Amino acid sequence: MAELKADVLVLGAGTVGVGAALHLQKRGRNVVLLDKHDRAGEETSFGNAGLIEAASVFPYMFPRDFGQILQYALNRTPQARYHLADLPTFLPWLVRYFLASSPERAHRSAMAELPLIKRSLIEHEALVSEAGVPELLRRIGWIKLFRNEATLKTAIDELQRAKQYGIEGDILDSKAIALKEPNLNGEFTGAVYFPQPGFIPDPGGLAKAYAALFERKGGRFVIGDARTLEQTASGWRVNGAAGTVVAREAVVALGPWSDLVFRPLGYNIPLGVKRGYHLHLASAGNAVLHHPILDSDNGYLLAPMNRGIRLTTGVEFARRDAPATPVQVAQALPRARNLFPLGDAIDAKPWMGARPCLPDMVPVIGKAPRHPGLWFDFGHQHHGLTLGPVSGRLLAEMMTGETPFTDPKPYALERFD
Ligand SMILES: Cc1cc2nc3c(=O)[nH]c(=O)nc-3n(C[C@H](O)[C@H](O)[C@H](O)COP(=O)(O)OP(=O)(O)OC[C@H]3O[C@@H](n4cnc5c(N)ncnc54)[C@H](O)[C@@H]3O)c2cc1C
């Protein structure tokens, strides 16, 4: 069988892997992008809510309020649910997540991610334009809707804190909500509108458009199993469906499956998952949804995708590979139908994905400390669509010896030592 030679082998063709491949290619590297699917963006990067979260300064940390924790423990909130039977598997990770969520450490995580968040939209704008798909990035912002005075107040306080980092947001009353979204029904205490974030009406399509750009510029996409990765005398080797691929350097960008490669190499990285679901529905009649809307107190989001209205759920803690239990979709559906005129479901069944998460909600971007030529780029949690291209830039700058646009230290694996 043929042997394909490259400078860099990028494992995983989600938004993160494709972002890395493009930025390495821009810096003159001959790159092979490998995935188990025959196309990019078929997994987590396919199913998200489509937000380029340029206004999201504070990561999603574990709640510290006792009442809220109790609701979580009783499996009573739509925002987060867990599989009781799997608890022993993910409890150690949850404890680390809880510890990493103290106010000081949560602030450290927010400041670590901020330089990436701030550059996220610029990077997408450049790629969308180069890929010739400007229609896939809509500058419409998104709306966080509240039904409860207390949660609205918390959100307004958070907005005030975020403003010191350049985040813009408008507080909307019922009248202002109706002006922005005339088809919403219900009693709302208010909303926050974030004008800066972008919206991707087809996240899987975006990864494919970026991968097509990579191929047009001479990059090669191959099907293969990243688990066959082996170190050689001169670099790395993996089995592709059409032959072996060898490269001096390799990048692990396998999202929630990154452990399949780092664990056999002896790395004990605390990568966990927060699963999530989506379901597309038709709009009823002529109803139009103009923005993504988070029905915050009910824990689901509606987004106007090209395929239909995509309902996405909050978090489910379970083993990554445990069978799907789309309870949160079933719970959200009647509430969503009350909020917006929805017709029939377009999908035969809900889609499930898994947000790849480190306990501090900061990705790992940088060198594998014990293996020369091996690099990590995973753990982008709730923000992988947002951060794929900008993480790719940072990684490529490190790999090619350029001055990185931001200090890469907060993303180094050594922070878990
Ligand atoms: C419900 C939900 C809503 C979300 N909403 C948002 C949002 O609005 N905005 C945002 O920024 N983020 C959002 N996210 C998070 C975001 O989707 C993820 O962080 C991001 O997709 C992770 O990208 P990735 O490239 O790291 O992983 P993936 O997209 O999962 O890519 C990993 C790739 O590795 C490949 N792979 C796996 N195993 C192997 C193997 N053995 N061999 C070869 N290839 C393999 C897979 O096929 C896949 O293509 C959401 C996530 C969920 C679940």
Side-chain angles (χ1 to χ4, degrees), residues 179-245:
L179 279 175
K180 283 216 175 300
E181 288 291 349
N183 291 115
L184 295 191
N185 304 304
E187 298 280 314
F188 314 117
T189 50
V192 179
Y193 170 58
F194 297 100
Q196 290 160 316
F199 173 62
I200 307 293
D202 178 1
L206 185 78
K208 287 170 185 56
Y210 287 175
L213 171 66
F214 165 75
E215 289 194 87
R216 271 204 301 283
K217 292 170 74 183
R220 286 159 299 169
F221 181 98
V222 303
I223 304 172
D225 187 346
R227 288 173 299 182
T228 62
L229 186 75
E230 277 178 341
Q231 196 169 18
T232 66
S234 56
W236 297 90
R237 177 174 55 217
V238 76
N239 293 341
T244 310
V245 186

Side-chain angles (χ1 to χ4, degrees), residues 12-17 34-37 41-45 47-51 53 224-227 253-257 260 274 276-277 312-313 351 353-356 380-386:
T15 316
V16 172
L34 176 136
D35 203 279
K36 65 181 176 188
H37 295 290
E42 288 286 289
E43 294 286 350
T44 332
S45 298
N48 54 58
L51 304 179
E53 288 262 50
D225 187 346
R227 288 173 299 182
L254 294 160
W257 294 277
L260 299 181
K274 295 183 186 176
Y277 297 85
T312 53
T313 66
W351 168 90
R355 304 165 182 93
H380 291 75
Q381 32 94 15
H382 297 248
H383 292 152
L385 171 67
T386 306

